[in-house]
Amino acid sequence: DTGVSQDPRHKITKRGQNVTFRCDPISEHNRLYWYRQTLGQGPEFLTYFQNEAQLEKSRLLSDRFSAERPKGSFSTLEIQRTEQGDSAMYLCASSMKRDTEAFFGQGTRLTVV
Amino acid sequence: KQEVTQIPAALSVPEGENLVLNCSFTDSAIYNLQWFRQDPGKGLTSLLLIQSSQREQTSGRLNASLDKSSGRSTLYIAASQPGDSATYLCAVSLSSNTGKLIFGQGTTLQVKP
């Protein structure tokens, strides 16, 4: 499978716990994006990497959120001290260049109880 | 601030019908527009990408048009099938270096056999 891969697919956690999600983009893509999608809404941009550099962060990305892409390959998104409002689908996407298609993974569904 | 709107929010049609999904955006300074399909609980599948200099793109039974000056795009689905039932999302890429996407809320399509 050469598509965008996300792990885990589902995560249930208790409020206050930390969680970490992983995204493996398509191998030749140097651009990587994280989005969040709540029920009935379109995805909302969280952050963007070009290679290992994090070049843009949304105001949605509070201090409890951190994302990394240490070697310009896979990326991780960590949420500290989870809150019920963090419950959502977290989507990762990658693309080769600005004007090319973005390809999305299957997402990680987070439920905070 | 760029806003993307999709009308209608939901649509139900009998199998075999041709249909049109609408997408409008407030700022015509876009780089490209992409249509996606999303099945329940799943990630996004790219359907069509239209560059800002293009007027339309076709893939099989799908045809997407773009009128940048009026801030509109349509997705035409010919001879609809029950397997087309899904949520369809449009997204615009802003004229910036990031390539981040601004999404509409989607149109949920049900094709009845």
Side-chain angles (χ1 to χ4, degrees), chain B residues 93-104:
Chain B
S93 174
L94 304 180
S95 294
S96 69
N97 288 326
T98 68
K100 73 180 181 184
L101 297 172
I102 307 298
F103 282 85

Side-chain angles (χ1 to χ4, degrees), chain A residues 9 31 33 35 37 40-43 45 48 56 89 91 98-102 104-106 109, chain B residues 31-32 34 36 38 41-44 46 49 51 89 93 96-101 103-105:
Chain A
R9 294 290 310 280
R31 293 168 175 257
Y33 307 82
Y35 292 83
Q37 185 180 27
Q41 303 296 313
F45 170 79
Y48 156 66
E56 185 170 347
M89 174 79 88
L91 294 160
R98 177 177 60 166
D99 59 350
T100 56
E101 280 179 285
F104 281 75
Q106 290 297 299
R109 167 72 65 187
Chain B
Y31 206 75
N32 59 44
Q34 201 166 347
F36 295 90
Q38 186 173 34
K42 305 290 188 181
L44 278 61
S46 177
L49 171 72
Q51 302 293 350
L89 293 152
S93 174
S96 69
N97 288 326
T98 68
K100 73 180 181 184
L101 297 172
F103 282 85
Q105 292 185 316

Side-chain angles (χ1 to χ4, degrees), chain B residues 26-92:
Chain B
T26 54
D27 186 344
S28 62
I30 64 169
Y31 206 75
N32 59 44
L33 184 145
Q34 201 166 347
W35 281 93
F36 295 90
R37 169 185 172 137
Q38 186 173 34
D39 292 295
K42 305 290 188 181
L44 278 61
T45 300
S46 177
L47 297 174
L48 290 164
L49 171 72
I50 311 178
Q51 302 293 350
S52 61
S53 58
Q54 297 174 323
R55 294 300 299 262
E56 66 178 313
Q57 284 287 333
T58 298
S59 175
R61 294 182 294 108
L62 305 179
N63 175 277
S65 68
L66 174 64
D67 184 342
K68 204 172 80 161
S69 61
S70 67
R72 293 181 183 177
S73 176
T74 61
L75 179 67
Y76 174 83
I77 303 177
S80 59
Q81 303 171 357
D84 295 330
S85 298
T87 295
Y88 291 81
L89 293 152
C90 74
V92 298

